[in-house]
Amino acid sequence: MQLIAAAVSLMTLIFVASVVVFFGEPAISFVGGLFGAKQHKTRSKRLTPNQEAIGDESQLYYEVKSSSLPLMSDRVTINTRYMPTLSNGHLGATVYDEAMYMNGLYEGSGGNSHRAKIPALLMGRVNFSSTDIDRRATRKYVFNGRDGYFMETIDCEFAYIEHRMYVHQKYIRLFVSDVFARRKPESMSGGVIKLKYPPLTGTSDDINFDQPREYYSNRQVKGTTKTAEAGASVQSIFMIYMEPVEQISLTGSYWDKNETMVMSVDKSEANARSELDYAQKILSAQGGNYQLFQDHVEAWRKTWSKGSIQVYGDVQLAKVTQFAQYYLLSSVPADSPYLPPQYSEVFYGCGRTGLAKGGAGTDYQGHVFWDNEMYIMPALMPFQPDTVKKMLRYRSAVAKKAADNAKRFGGSGFHFPWESAFSGNDVSPDDCDASHPDCHWKKLFVTTAVSWAIRQYYSITRDRDYMINTDYLGCDITREIARFLADRAMYNPKTARYDIFNMTGPDDWHPNVNNNAFTLAAASLAIHWARYFSCLCQRNDREEVPDEWIQKALYLNLPYDNVKRLHFQHQGFDPAVDRPVKQADTIMLTYPLNWNVSSDIMKNDLEMYETITNDRSPAMTWSWFTIGWKWVNDKNRMNTYFLKSYQDYLIQPFKIWTEYNELSAADQAAGNVNFLPGMGGFVQSLVHGYAGIRIRPDMLEFYNPMPPNGATKMVLNGFKYLGSVLTFTIEEDKTTIFVNSSSAQYQLILKRNVTSAVEESLTEGETVIIDGSSNGFFIYTSVSETCEHPRDYIYMPWGYSPFVNRAHLTSSLMQSLTFSLFLTLSFTR
């Protein structure tokens, strides 16, 4: 008997080793579980409603491993609301959900426009014919946020099974379902594994499908959306897929089996066929299923190599950081696809909840909001500027609709809608009352956000192609945004200022107000930037952006109390009466606008608005408080709001971000999940809060960089600036800069913020250590623009801003004063 037991143990070890060889690294997590690896639980975080704590047993920063799934109140049905998403910017799916979605595929017109549901035909799940076998089986769930896949592992009485699913990062039209099963050595009779799939019916709420037809040994079906947005046409899609395997028999002489099923989806029949054909070619070779997966993994590794943030010393914070970046990156176009989309195909935005969500009546229906420019793009900007450029192209593609939208209520120039989708039309819900039919149109801040994103993108890249290429229209968009905003500003002889009446700011609990502070500051920046940018575009800047517009930008009636030294959210705002405010609004002057204002005013704004901001505000509000408190040197409050920005909004185990801190069914009904603005705000709090980076038109400014609370260090890998690639390793009062590559066009210069500092060139392959980096430092180029820098201010009472007005300095004075006055003052906090 001892010999038999030893033989069985040896066969088991051989089997486990073969699983590792077959499936590579992912199986290691599975094997560790089999051999009783210590299970680590995450720090106390919010639980999923209606169920017990769901632990994350993995200590790898990029992996979740759990023994249970989020369930509905019946404790049986999987709650796909909190399941992870698999996406690549072209195709998106939620694990175990019956629908998937595709970039630019919308159904419905006006406020009914939403992402069209595509049946996830291969989204199967392993089960057994016997409920007893199923009950005795041990299931583990692995989600890899580095390599972009979900895997369910099952240890049942007759087999070990691994079922892995992923949306391919290289072959972007493919959804892949891969099942590997091996009979246990001690199971003489074996058993049968079953898989169940969503049905394909002839019609759906969104798409009319033709009858499936054969495509070689596969199936092909064409679908057409039912209703188009105004001015657009219905759209066709093609789904080509392998026949779903409904059962796998491990009986008789069968000891192991692998079944890989692939589905290809595209608007182009040729592209859909091409990628499926190529996948089948790969699968026809020995080990083809592994090669198909490795191509996916290598594509993701290449994406990460372009740039990312890593946190050390706190594994749970490292996980939050990693998975936030994964969900953001998986929602935007893949880095280097095998068959890129046609150049004419625009990326229509990831919406607020990514490409895997957005059906009718849920998740903001996949619409594009200002969140793209204000919350999502800035999180990607330093690491993936090429991706940001693709995202900006959407606004260029729908610019004519922005002109039409401006005219709807008497405006001129470009005004982008509160919500838009495929056509660029306003597809906001029809929920305005009769007295204010323009309630969504009044959200002027949406258009200021587009200008702000363009400013940040150009400041970090100096990308001339974006300026002159007709696919982007960068010069025209900035001018027409300025035209729209200047047109709204009306002169008030009583104050000798310009007012913008009847608007709604980011805090839409206070609609139809006059002179919203955030909007006025953002409008001033947009007009100043348009003058500067028109000069860079080698146009007559004073004809493109007349002095009249600049005058308005300089004399907007910004609500400010010079006695209390703070900003009011809008004209007539009374903090005792007009509370609570829904979300961050006025505090966004400090960040993201980087408004030139004295630090005591920043602090006063933060102190007042933290007491009257709704405690259950959307997640990104607390990220802006985090950054604000950093810039006024209140480390305790910075750390408090940093924790609040994610711990209250994270659903375990798959690190799903929610819009609100979902503590009840009512919260779930009001909010949405996979909330990218919350993740984007969190990432920005690391880069612009803890790392202390401000992107200026002419430099990068680093203010007291430090690792986040509880971490030993933070690394910003692949930070792109003016064509150079840098890596910043940030420790307490020490920053190390490694120059991965340098730009031949823009030689970078480092200057430390100390009186004895000299300019230091940053050369490729060089490592520079900055001890005492809490003093701050600057990175800029010796190649200066010849145009006058944007003024970026509104005339305010003396003492409002500590910054020297460099726009009025001669070039010689700038050289002598820039670092003796401006830079010193900028760090006098």
Side-chain angles (χ1 to χ4, degrees):
M1 290 298 291
Q2 291 178 341
L3 287 174
I4 293 173
V8 169
S9 298
L10 179 60
M11 291 176 71
T12 301
L13 285 169
I14 293 171
F15 162 73
V16 169
S18 69
V19 171
V20 174
V21 171
F22 186 83
F23 265 138
E25 181 184 337
I28 295 174
S29 300
F30 174 44
V31 173
L34 290 177
F35 285 100
K38 183 179 179 181
Q39 296 183 357
H40 301 272
K41 301 292 184 182
T42 62
R43 270 195 314 230
S44 177
K45 299 277 204 304
R46 277 187 316 123
L47 307 181
T48 306
N50 301 317
Q51 76 182 80
E52 305 297 329
I54 301 178
D56 177 2
E57 303 162 15
S58 175
Q59 286 295 295
L60 298 174
Y61 74 92
Y62 56 80
E63 180 189 74
V64 167
K65 182 165 67 173
S66 179
S67 300
S68 54
L69 296 174
L71 301 176
M72 302 295 282
S73 57
D74 61 9
R75 298 181 181 260
V76 175
T77 307
I78 296 173
N79 189 349
T80 56
R81 179 179 178 84
Y82 303 124
M83 291 298 289
T85 58
L86 306 168
S87 304
N88 61 16
H90 174 77
L91 198 64
T94 299
V95 173
Y96 296 144
D97 194 87
E98 294 187 351
M100 58 175 53
Y101 303 94
M102 188 173 70
N103 173 47
L105 188 70
Y106 288 89
E107 158 62 21
S109 182
N112 293 320
S113 173
H114 59 274
R115 292 199 195 277
K117 284 189 176 182
I118 302 168
L121 299 178
L122 299 183
M123 187 67 77
R125 192 172 182 215
V126 171
N127 56 72
F128 303 95
S129 55
S130 167
T131 55
D132 288 339
I133 294 177
D134 205 352
R135 179 173 49 82
R136 291 192 292 266
T138 300
R139 295 178 184 257
K140 294 282 186 181
Y141 309 95
V142 176
F143 178 45
N144 191 303
R146 180 187 64 183
D147 299 335
Y149 68 85
F150 179 86
M151 182 169 66
E152 180 176 9
T153 64
I154 306 168
D155 179 2
C156 73
E157 57 193 45
F158 69 87
Y160 297 99
I161 305 157
E162 290 189 345
H163 181 202
R164 179 166 50 207
M165 295 178 285
Y166 54 98
V167 173
H168 212 289
Q169 186 72 359
K170 182 176 182 180
Y171 312 117
I172 58 174
R173 295 157 185 87
L174 303 186
F175 173 82
V176 183
S177 175
D178 200 359
V179 182
F180 172 72
R182 173 158 289 180
R183 204 161 103 198
K184 289 184 175 180
E186 63 270 26
S187 176
M188 295 297 105
S189 59
V192 176
I193 300 164
K194 294 184 176 293
L195 290 102
K196 186 178 180 181
Y197 304 91
L200 173 63
T201 58
T203 61
S204 73
D205 291 339
D206 298 338
I207 302 173
N208 288 324
F209 291 104
D210 297 341
Q211 286 298 314
R213 60 188 180 89
E214 288 213 9
Y215 173 66
Y216 295 104
S217 58
N218 307 306
R219 308 288 283 172
Q220 175 174 322
V221 63
K222 178 184 178 182
T224 306
T225 56
K226 297 178 178 181
T227 307
E229 292 179 18
S233 302
V234 293
Q235 302 175 70
S236 297
I237 63 160
F238 295 87
M239 300 186 299
I240 307 173
Y241 55 98
M242 299 178 183
E243 199 70 46
V245 174
E246 295 185 350
Q247 70 176 35
I248 299 172
S249 178
L250 292 180
T251 58
S253 61
Y254 291 103
W255 284 87
D256 59 67
K257 280 190 177 180
N258 170 246
E259 296 287 355
T260 301
M261 294 156 282
V262 179
M263 175 179 174
S264 182
V265 184
D266 200 86
K267 295 178 183 177
S268 162
E269 181 180 21
N271 288 345
R273 285 184 170 187
S274 178
E275 290 215 338
L276 186 85
D277 291 345
Y278 196 76
Q280 287 193 301
K281 181 180 178 181
I282 294 172
L283 291 171
S284 65
Q286 185 174 3
N289 66 309
Y290 179 72
Q291 185 59 54
L292 186 64
F293 176 63
Q294 282 302 110
D295 287 350
H296 167 74
V297 169
E298 288 171 10
W300 262 113
R301 300 289 175 88
K302 184 177 179 180
T303 298
W304 292 115
S305 72
K306 291 291 184 70
S308 65
I309 305 169
Q310 286 185 285
V311 173
Y312 295 85
D314 184 333
V315 68
Q316 299 308 326
L317 180 56
K319 283 195 172 196
V320 175
T321 304
Q322 176 68 22
F323 280 90
Q325 292 177 95
Y326 162 78
Y327 285 122
L328 288 166
L329 284 172
S330 65
S331 299
V332 297
D335 183 60
S336 300
Y338 165 72
L339 186 62
Q342 296 178 357
Y343 188 73
S344 59
E345 184 177 339
V346 174
F347 176 64
Y348 289 90
C350 50
R352 283 179 162 174
T353 56
L355 193 54
K357 296 180 181 292
T362 64
D363 302 308
Y364 293 107
Q365 302 190 140
H367 293 171
V368 175
F369 290 76
W370 79 311
D371 306 67
N372 261 16
E373 286 80 17
M374 196 56 75
Y375 299 107
I376 299 170
M377 289 186 197
L380 302 172
M381 191 94 64
F383 309 104
Q384 310 282 343
D386 291 345
T387 299
V388 170
K389 186 177 182 180
K390 294 174 185 176
M391 298 174 75
L392 284 171
R393 189 181 172 199
Y394 170 74
R395 297 298 190 180
S396 306
V398 300
K400 290 182 179 179
K401 297 296 183 180
D404 293 341
N405 187 53
K407 295 173 184 175
R408 285 175 59 207
F409 295 99
S412 60
F414 290 170
H415 180 33
F416 293 92
W418 172 233
E419 299 183 34
S420 59
F422 177 75
S423 67
N425 289 325
D426 188 345
V427 293
S428 306
D430 186 15
D431 55 3
C432 298
D433 61 50
S435 61
H436 296 286
D438 56 348
C439 68
H440 297 301
W441 193 89
K442 294 174 180 177
K443 297 175 180 178
L444 312 185
F445 61 87
V446 176
T447 294
T448 69
V450 177
S451 176
W452 178 253
I454 293 171
R455 166 196 282 257
Q456 296 298 87
Y457 173 74
Y458 184 81
S459 297
I460 208 168
T461 64
R462 292 196 185 177
D463 179 6
R464 301 284 173 174
D465 179 67
Y466 179 78
M467 298 165 60
I468 62 177
N469 191 323
T470 55
D471 287 326
Y472 298 101
L473 302 171
C475 298
D476 295 333
I477 288 179
T478 53
R479 180 196 64 228
E480 293 306 309
I481 288 174
R483 184 190 306 279
F484 172 77
L485 295 168
D487 185 56
R488 308 314 301 162
M490 298 291 120
Y491 184 69
N492 185 342
K494 293 182 179 180
T495 60
R497 293 272 177 172
Y498 290 88
D499 296 315
I500 299 182
F501 291 134
N502 205 13
M503 65 165 80
T504 299
D507 168 25
D508 55 14
W509 283 0
H510 294 85
N512 310 314
V513 300
N514 298 331
N515 294 327
N516 172 262
F518 171 82
T519 306
L520 291 191
S524 177
L525 291 171
I527 295 171
H528 286 308
W529 177 258
R531 165 69 68 88
Y532 175 58
F533 208 52
S534 64
C535 175
L536 295 177
C537 294
Q538 298 181 342
R539 298 178 177 181
N540 188 320
D541 54 336
R542 278 171 168 74
E543 288 184 2
E544 293 272 305
V545 182
D547 288 344
E548 178 190 355
W549 298 3
I550 298 298
Q551 182 78 356
K552 291 183 176 185
L554 290 170
Y555 286 96
L556 287 169
N557 193 6
L558 188 66
Y560 170 70
D561 187 322
N562 197 34
V563 176
K564 295 181 179 179
R565 290 183 64 75
L566 54 78
H567 296 98
F568 289 120
Q569 184 165 296
H570 54 260
Q571 186 175 312
F573 181 83
D574 183 347
V577 176
D578 297 319
R579 62 170 62 200
V581 300
K582 177 183 176 183
Q583 62 188 61
D585 193 314
T586 309
I587 67 161
M588 294 171 68
L589 270 69
T590 298
Y591 185 86
L593 293 189
N594 297 328
W595 188 245
N596 290 340
V597 63
S598 179
S599 61
D600 71 304
I601 300 173
M602 293 184 196
K603 184 176 181 180
N604 293 339
D605 284 348
L606 290 163
E607 286 183 336
M608 182 176 80
Y609 287 102
E610 76 172 352
T611 63
I612 63 175
T613 298
N614 175 34
D615 190 55
R616 301 176 76 175
S617 174
M620 60 277 190
T621 288
W622 314 119
S623 296
W624 296 163
F625 272 106
T626 300
I627 299 171
W629 286 118
K630 165 63 183 293
W631 283 93
V632 299
N633 280 327
D634 193 324
K635 190 173 180 180
N636 289 333
R637 277 164 151 164
M638 172 183 68
N639 291 334
T640 296
Y641 281 107
F642 180 65
L643 291 174
K644 185 177 179 64
S645 74
Y646 70 91
Q647 286 192 338
D648 287 352
Y649 299 87
L650 209 62
I651 295 287
Q652 298 290 1
F654 300 116
K655 314 298 183 276
I656 301 295
W657 286 69
T658 58
E659 183 175 8
Y660 303 108
N661 46 2
E662 298 190 355
L663 304 177
S664 68
D667 293 333
Q668 294 181 47
N672 297 274
V673 294
N674 200 44
F675 193 59
L676 299 182
M679 302 180 213
F682 169 81
V683 171
Q684 289 185 66
S685 71
L686 294 173
V687 176
H688 303 289
Y690 284 96
I693 301 174
R694 277 181 168 170
I695 301 170
R696 302 286 190 186
D698 57 345
M699 70 175 68
L700 294 178
E701 176 184 334
F702 289 76
Y703 172 60
N704 188 15
M706 63 180 69
N709 189 38
T712 55
K713 68 178 178 180
M714 175 172 64
V715 179
L716 310 183
N717 295 294
F719 193 106
K720 315 293 189 304
Y721 185 56
L722 304 185
S724 293
V725 182
L726 311 170
T727 293
F728 299 99
T729 301
I730 298 170
E731 300 169 271
E732 198 68 38
D733 205 23
K734 176 183 176 182
T735 299
T736 303
I737 305 172
F738 176 71
V739 186
N740 303 61
S741 64
S742 60
S743 167
Q745 185 176 5
Y746 299 109
Q747 172 62 52
L748 295 187
I749 295 171
L750 166 71
K751 190 151 189 177
R752 307 167 198 237
N753 190 47
V754 293
T755 54
S756 60
V758 296
E759 292 185 338
E760 305 170 53
S761 294
L762 294 175
T763 58
E764 188 167 328
E766 180 184 13
T767 299
V768 178
I769 299 175
I770 305 175
D771 289 314
S773 63
S774 59
N775 292 319
F777 55 93
F778 308 87
I779 295 175
Y780 53 98
T781 180
S782 58
V783 182
S784 60
E785 301 281 17
T786 58
C787 298
E788 179 183 305
H789 277 257
R791 297 186 182 184
D792 288 351
Y793 61 84
I794 295 172
Y795 280 124
M796 299 296 288
W798 177 257
Y800 177 84
S801 171
F803 293 96
V804 173
N805 176 13
R806 295 178 297 154
H808 292 287
L809 299 178
T810 65
S811 58
S812 59
L813 281 172
M814 281 185 65
Q815 292 176 4
S816 63
L817 293 179
T818 294
F819 288 98
S820 62
L821 289 175
F822 170 70
L823 301 183
T824 301
L825 287 169
S826 69
F827 282 115
T828 306
R829 301 279 193 257

